[in-house]
Amino acid sequence: MRKVCSLHANYTISSSLPPLNYFKLLKRIATCLFGTVLTLGAASSPDISAQDNTGGGHDRRDDHRGIAGSHEQTNYTYTKKAFPVLSLDYHHIQVPFEISLWVLLASLMKLGFHLIPRLSGIVPESCLLIVVGLLVGGLIKLAGEEVPPVLDSNLFFLCLLPPIILDAGYFLPIRPFMENIGTILMFAVVGTLWNAFFVGGLLYAVCQIEGTYLSQVELLPCLLFGSIISAVDPVAVLAVFEEIHINELLHILVFGESLLNDAVTVVLYHLFEEYSGAGEVTPMDVVLGVICFLIVSLGGIAVGAIYGILAAFTSRFTSHTRVIEPLFVFVYSYMAYLSAEMFHLSGIMALIACGAVMRPYVEANISHKSHTTVKYFLKMWSSVSETLIFIFLGVATVAGPHAWNWTFVSVTVILCLVSRVIGVVGLTFIINKFRIVKLTTKDQFIVAYGGLRGAIAFSLGYLLNKDHFPMRTMFLTAIITEIFFTVFVQGMTIKPLVDLLAVKKKQEAKRSINEEIHTQFLDHLLTGIEDICGHYGHHHWKDKLNRFNKKYIKKCLIAGERYKEPQLIAFYHKMEFKQAIELVESGGGVKLPSAMPSQVSMQNIQPKKLPPAVAERALPQFTKGREEEIRKILRSNLQKTRQRLRSYNRHTLVADPFEDGWNDFLLKKQRMIELEKKMSNYLTVPAAPPDSPTMCRARLASDPNAFYNIKASSEGVPTIQVDLASPQSPDSVNMLNEFSKRGAKDQGLGQREVATRDEDQGLMMKPSSAGKEEKGEEEGGNKNPGLMRCLSDPGPSNEDEEDEPFLP
Amino acid sequence: MGALQSLSDEPEYRELAEKTGFSFEQIGILHKRFKQLSHNEDMLRRADLDTIPDLACNPIRTQIIEAFFDKRNFHQNGDGTVEEISFEEFLVVMSHFRPPALNMTEEQREKVRREKLRFLFNMHDTDNDGTITLEEYRHVVEELLSRSGALGKETAKGIADAAMLEVASISMGHMEPDEFYEGITFEHFLKILKDIEIETKMNIRFLNMDTTTLCK
């Protein structure tokens, strides 16, 4: 970048070319902002952060135009060469190209590991990736090139770490986290402090021993080193624990600790870094340090919470622009991280707080697709980040520089282990006095053994200033050795040890509705008992918080009528939705989904009030004629093939009637009661009949031959209609017309309600109007074609009947 | 705290401690609370529990109060309900919420789990016929959702039905179309809830109760 800057200084780009002026301005701004961050510009390394690419790209483009322009200006007499038909210009795209190459390498490695079945069972992925990094670094070195300093601290902290932490924070299981928060905080704060001082202090003592040639290492740098190396690393913990499927309690303990110790690490690091220049730390500094800790942690959480609430509030209004909903989640979280880092607060805690705070509200507001998008993007980014981090660790190891000192390194490794074990055992002894469910020895062992170090320690070491810390290279070597030891030795052996010790594993069972009902029931029961005892325990406060949340916060942050939906109902809807999708994916219901292997149906649990002969046909109340009509219409639908969307608009997703309708679908049951009474036969429950997949599955279970009958009649069930091949475009048009009508028809009931009511009528009352719909009337189209479109890909179209535009 | 000095002398406390497993301090504190609730009488009535203001916003308030007066929870093999309870019975009901001891064998843990789940079962099985019928289960879910107005009613039925279906399918496997699933027996109840590890969840901390913070 410095080279480019100097080039620009030499050009006199005349002002008669206005576009170049603009570029010049842009160049200046870009170089001012990013010049400090970029290290090697035109040369080799891909360590320029992603943000700078655009700046860099611009600059290079400007560069060229600048060069071209000035050439034209100053050199009119250049000889005419042959027009270059094909030219190679690597420098132009070098930086993004190299970044993409690294990412591609990382992803291919990840792919490769899973293709070798036994390897991934024995060796955790993180180890393999480090080895790959070592190989790549070795290759680069063999090729004679200088190994690029890829694990640059800025790159790491600003680009590679946030996705992983956001993924962890957004999907943090809040309940177990909050239940164990005391334990987690104890381990994170007190445990890390203990580790830092124990390791740092003893290292200093060892350094003072004669004969180790280490006497120039003073106390404060030792303590600094101790604080860097004592923090359990979330990336490494995630990578290893993910594969061992340990039970939820232990997972959340170690993982929560690794997240929350960031604040301690930040404070200790800055404290010792500041004062190792001065050489001593006064008690005043210690007090300031404590205050700093409180500010760093609470400030970080506050920043995160503010951005989280902002994100939740923004998501309330995104019902018209569903495509960019995921973007809000990502951008607000990233800004929370950056804002916290700006003030030297704990960025990790900010990110966790942001994700955890915004999640319940955002999920209630955003569309199902956006939710899936958020989930998959987060998983994708965090996965790639993690892979890259481990590979870069390997490369950085090869890159060096190293200063190996047997004493220092071995003492570090041993001390880390010892201090971790002592810390965990000691703390558990104290903690168990306050816990209801005590931690057993096995648990303690896993917690101690699972304290892995990772790339954060390395990056913090890398950040150290060479001048202030002459023994920086020795520190880095020791850090890398420690990381290797924990990741390789502990990472590889933890799985067999878990099996050997028969530690409880994660329950793989799906959460059933009974469990959910009873969890809620238990919450209320315990709160009630606490009230009877007169004891303001944490159930009481939790209940109070929930009520406050429901009463005030949800109203502000959740759009529409959704905020009133209690958790149990939301869970139930989610479950039904999931089962509906399963039903669809299993081929439309002929083959029963595996969730219900048994053949128990609704009628088995209903008290027998009607004669059992009803099992024969699904809906005997339909007259023959009506059934025939319905069947004819559906058959004609089956003959039409799917149609591709006519005109594709980048800015609007296909309107998502499935989930908009679905969610309110169930809310409208009251209005459909009379209709349903006619439609349902043996089901005495008026609420649920043809709608919920449980009922439909039940019907299927009772009579698989009645499949087509059921399809004919249960138009209300979105899932079963998949076999009706095409979402006809007139219906689709109707769908969208209807949705565009919505805006106009806002009667203050909420748009979804209007649409659904139309849909209801279309569904229930006028199946024969399906014929009319072909003429493109806005009759309140059949919901189901829209659903099918959402649920399945529209294939290429063979027919050209409808030439109406998709989007009117 | 002065009142606690004489506690270990009282022989009745010793008996109660043996019976319920509480420590003397816990019994003392609970006794104080009992006296406070019953206005220093010996017997506690439903009306006394109704007056606790914090309970007012609890959706399953009635069931909780009923549980205290349910003879099945007194470990005396009786059934039916009573109108008023003594301190001993109060304590026995409370003992269902004691946390399990640290070092328990698998059988002891199983026993504790059964006991706690039995308590829950009794709360649901209001007519005391040994099974939770669909109606009773519906009632449970309705109460849970009783705060959500009309919306809750209909969905509650759907939820209860789905839950019942789940229990039936897990417990019974395959059923003929004309068989009828009577209701959830205690064994089925145990089966479906065995995964939530109730012995770790259904607990209250009984110490650290400062009498000054006791609500009226």
Side-chain angles (χ1 to χ4, degrees), chain A residues 84 155 173 188 254 267 280 306 323 370 380 387 424 438 475 499 502-503 520 585 594 597 608-609 626 728 792:
Chain A
L155 172 69
V254 182
V267 172
E280 58 162 17
I306 292 175
V323 259
S370 300
M380 180 184 82
T387 317
V424 169
K438 320 272 182 202
F475 284 175
D499 291 331
V503 179
Q520 298 257 322
E585 286 176 0
S594 58
K608 280 216 189 98
K609 287 189 190 158
R626 185 114 158 190
Q728 304 173 47
S792 51

Side-chain angles (χ1 to χ4, degrees), chain A residues 175 179 432-440 504 507 509-536 538-540 543-544 547 550 564-569 572-573 575-576 579 595-609 612 615 666-667 669-670 673 684-688 694-695 697-698 702, chain B residues 30 33 37 49 52 54-55 57-60 63-65 68 90 93-94 97 99-102 119-120 123-124 134-135 137-138 140-141 144-145 147-148 150-152 154-170 172-182 184 189 192-193 195-210 213-215:
Chain A
R175 229 191 138 91
E179 281 174 11
N432 268 345
K433 296 207 202 295
F434 297 98
R435 278 180 70 89
I436 294 185
V437 180
K438 320 272 182 202
L439 292 174
T440 64
K504 255 190 303 185
Q507 310 278 5
K510 252 192 312 188
R511 203 134 154 86
S512 73
I513 186 124
N514 280 295
E515 287 178 7
E516 182 68 25
I517 292 178
H518 281 96
T519 314
Q520 298 257 322
F521 190 82
L522 205 57
D523 269 343
H524 289 296
L525 175 64
L526 289 174
T527 312
I529 299 285
E530 273 189 3
D531 291 332
I532 292 182
C533 285
H535 171 47
Y536 284 159
H538 65 269
H539 282 105
H540 178 90
D543 190 58
K544 264 215 163 108
R547 270 185 284 137
K550 205 191 231 184
K564 289 208 206 107
E565 197 176 61
Q567 191 186 349
L568 187 58
I569 295 185
Y572 176 61
H573 289 187
M575 222 186 63
E576 278 193 335
Q579 282 168 347
M596 293 275 288
S598 60
Q599 305 232 330
V600 179
S601 62
M602 272 311 293
Q603 62 197 102
N604 288 117
I605 65 176
Q606 296 290 339
K608 280 216 189 98
K609 287 189 190 158
L666 295 161
L667 287 170
K669 273 183 189 170
Q670 298 138 341
I673 288 178
T684 55
V685 180
T694 41
M695 305 312 156
R697 236 185 302 118
S702 60
Chain B
L30 284 171
R33 178 62 176 169
L37 285 175
L49 287 179
I52 302 176
D54 287 322
L55 264 190
C57 33
N58 198 319
I60 53 170
Q63 273 113 317
I64 298 178
I65 295 181
F68 275 91
F90 181 76
V93 172
M94 281 298 186
F97 295 93
L102 175 54
F119 186 83
L120 280 185
M123 279 183 86
H124 296 328
L134 186 61
E135 284 306 317
Y137 211 14
R138 270 190 203 158
V140 169
V141 179
L144 263 184
L145 295 176
R147 304 289 215 63
S148 2
L151 162 65
E154 297 306 328
T155 327
K157 288 208 176 107
I159 294 177
D161 290 340
M164 198 73 172
L165 192 60
E166 202 178 66
V167 178
S169 36
I170 291 179
M172 305 289 281
H174 178 82
M175 285 178 82
E176 296 305 318
D178 51 358
E179 270 182 82
F180 176 54
Y181 181 64
E182 306 281 334
I184 310 179
F189 194 68
I192 53 168
L193 288 184
D195 282 335
I196 63 174
E197 291 193 5
I198 197 123
E199 72 273 12
T200 58
K201 299 215 173 104
M202 192 164 138
N203 301 312
I204 302 252
R205 290 172 211 276
F206 280 106
L207 277 179
N208 311 323
M209 281 190 282
D210 187 2
T213 63
L214 290 180
C215 43

Side-chain angles (χ1 to χ4, degrees), chain A residues 608-676:
Chain A
K608 280 216 189 98
K609 287 189 190 158
L610 299 172
V614 297
E616 293 298 303
R617 298 167 63 215
L619 295 168
Q621 258 120 342
F622 263 175
T623 62
K624 264 266 174 190
R626 185 114 158 190
E627 268 192 54
E628 259 320 296
E629 221 182 320
I630 294 170
R631 241 178 260 166
K632 198 174 25 161
I633 292 161
L634 293 171
R635 216 174 292 135
S636 64
N637 283 353
L638 271 166
Q639 286 158 10
K640 294 233 166 76
T641 54
R642 292 182 192 154
Q643 300 218 339
R644 186 186 275 281
L645 310 175
R646 280 306 162 127
S647 89
Y648 174 64
N649 186 335
R650 191 157 45 104
H651 298 290
T652 330
L653 271 184
V654 166
D656 216 344
F658 182 63
E659 64 183 52
D660 284 339
W662 176 255
N663 288 330
D664 299 278
F665 188 63
L666 295 161
L667 287 170
K668 302 304 165 301
K669 273 183 189 170
Q670 298 138 341
R671 297 194 186 102
M672 308 209 302
I673 288 178
E674 296 101 51
L675 298 168
E676 286 157 19

